[in-house]
Amino acid sequence: MLFYIRCVDKPGHLHVRKANRDAHLAYIKDGYADKIVAAGPTLDPDLEGMNGSVFIIELEDMAAAEALTANDPYAKAGLFESVVIRPFKKVF
């Protein structure tokens, strides 16, 4: 099942994102790279800073999607203000 995952960073926490980026990328690469349809950071309007993450990813169920986000180094570091997980239907 495909899922759309949107994680919004807490305001003023770019330093937390940068400090945990390598661990986050390793976590995703090691456990989820073959399941990702699309993934990456959302950007500030000036295109300079990152302010969140988006995934379109194939996972077994909602519990697996929740586990992905809960165990992400970014989440463990307290980066996220909010996380939205929704089933996703690919049309194109």
Side-chain angles (χ1 to χ4, degrees):
M1 171 183 285
L2 285 174
F3 288 92
Y4 163 84
I5 301 173
R6 169 77 166 111
C7 305
V8 176
D9 295 356
K10 292 175 183 171
H13 278 65
L14 182 59
H15 65 284
V16 175
R17 175 173 281 274
K18 288 181 176 180
N20 291 278
R21 186 168 170 79
D22 289 343
H24 162 76
L25 293 175
Y27 170 73
I28 298 301
K29 181 180 176 184
D30 293 345
Y32 298 97
D34 61 332
K35 297 170 175 41
I36 293 174
V37 175
T42 55
L43 303 175
D44 291 331
D46 64 8
L47 307 179
E48 295 295 320
M50 297 173 282
N51 59 25
S53 302
V54 170
F55 295 89
I56 305 292
I57 189 165
E58 179 78 32
L59 296 168
E60 290 182 20
D61 54 26
M62 182 63 78
E66 291 169 347
L68 179 155
T69 58
N71 294 309
D72 188 315
Y74 282 160
K76 290 183 174 187
L79 176 62
F80 300 139
E81 178 177 68
S82 65
V83 175
V84 173
I85 303 171
R86 297 286 186 267
F88 181 80
K89 180 179 177 181
K90 183 177 178 182
V91 176
F92 292 104

